[in-house]
Amino acid sequence: PFFVVYSIVLEQSVHWHCFRGTIEKRDRGMHFFKSSNICSAGLVACVVISLSACQTTAQADAAAGEASAQLIAADGTPVGRATLTEVGGGLRLKVDAQHLTPGLHGIHLHTVGKCEGPKFESSGGHWNPMAKQHGLENPMGTHSGDMPNLQASATGSASYSYILKGASLDTGPLAVMDMDGTSIMIHAKADDNKTDPSGNSGERLICGVFTKG
């Protein structure tokens, strides 16, 4: 005896092969096993297609919950990458950057998704939809795009992670992917986390524009 498992995708095809195998068992003896192999192949194909469809759906879901940015220096040279991923309660920012001076650097989200060098003024000010003052230590703050300083190593590289609480990619008042987009900026100096409007963090050194997917 053998068991037939139907798939919605290939139900009719698998059913035909298995039915044919039953007839051939009665009429042609050992020929049945060839048709049974066809039936098994149909079932395997069905499973493969189903798994492929699930994988494609999962990839699409993942892409829908993430935005990324290539980081560039003032001359347009690529120097790293940043991602924003939707997590429970906000967005997780991850940054990998190179060619920095060792030490602390201010890092913020800016209100416009443009990075036109060399000064990156096209990115506008800090992302601040709630109209507060700058600084994690400012009693009148903070900007929604304010974050702790990024630490660059002695070799000028940096890996950074931070949760932007309450933020989202494209829903609600703290959506980063609005009509004019959002950029990320790394500054020349450390952010003092209290001085409005940008914490005395110096020149804009590295910029990236977030795109979804």
Side-chain angles (χ1 to χ4, degrees):
F2 61 93
F3 299 94
V4 178
V5 180
Y6 289 96
S7 167
I8 295 175
V9 179
L10 294 178
E11 179 178 349
Q12 296 301 321
S13 176
V14 174
H15 177 59
W16 183 85
H17 284 302
C18 294
F19 175 78
R20 181 184 172 195
T22 303
I23 297 301
E24 288 186 352
K25 179 179 181 183
R26 184 184 303 117
D27 293 343
R28 298 187 179 89
M30 293 302 292
H31 288 183
F32 160 70
F33 294 102
K34 295 181 179 179
S35 292
S36 293
N37 288 337
I38 295 173
C39 177
S40 298
L43 290 173
V44 171
C46 176
V47 171
V48 170
I49 291 173
S50 297
L51 290 174
S52 177
C54 290
Q55 183 178 17
T56 301
T57 301
Q59 290 171 343
D61 289 344
E66 184 174 282
S68 62
Q70 183 183 63
L71 304 180
I72 60 171
D75 62 358
T77 303
V79 293
R81 181 177 176 83
T83 59
L84 286 170
T85 305
E86 291 184 330
V87 296
L91 292 174
R92 176 184 288 113
L93 171 71
K94 288 188 176 182
V95 175
D96 289 294
Q98 298 82 39
H99 304 293
L100 290 160
T101 55
L104 295 175
H105 294 266
I107 180 171
H108 317 108
L109 295 188
H110 281 238
T111 191
V112 180
K114 288 185 179 181
C115 289
E116 297 173 354
K119 295 185 177 181
F120 300 130
E121 293 175 344
S122 59
S123 68
H126 291 181
W127 181 52
N128 186 27
M130 306 309 289
K132 295 185 177 182
Q133 292 188 15
H134 169 75
L136 298 177
E137 299 175 12
N138 186 336
M140 301 298 290
T142 63
H143 296 160
S144 299
D146 288 349
M147 295 177 281
N149 286 304
L150 173 147
Q151 175 76 55
S153 70
T155 61
S157 63
S159 293
Y160 181 90
S161 181
Y162 184 70
I163 301 292
L164 294 155
K165 295 180 180 179
S168 69
L169 287 182
D170 49 22
T171 59
L174 298 182
V176 297
M177 303 303 292
D178 55 9
M179 292 296 292
D180 56 1
T182 299
S183 56
I184 183 170
M185 193 73 62
I186 300 176
H187 291 259
K189 301 190 299 183
D191 184 344
D192 64 21
N193 285 310
K194 55 188 177 183
T195 304
D196 201 51
S198 60
N200 293 321
S201 52
E203 296 180 2
R204 303 176 180 193
L205 294 183
I206 292 173
C207 185
V209 177
F210 284 106
T211 57
K212 192 174 178 181

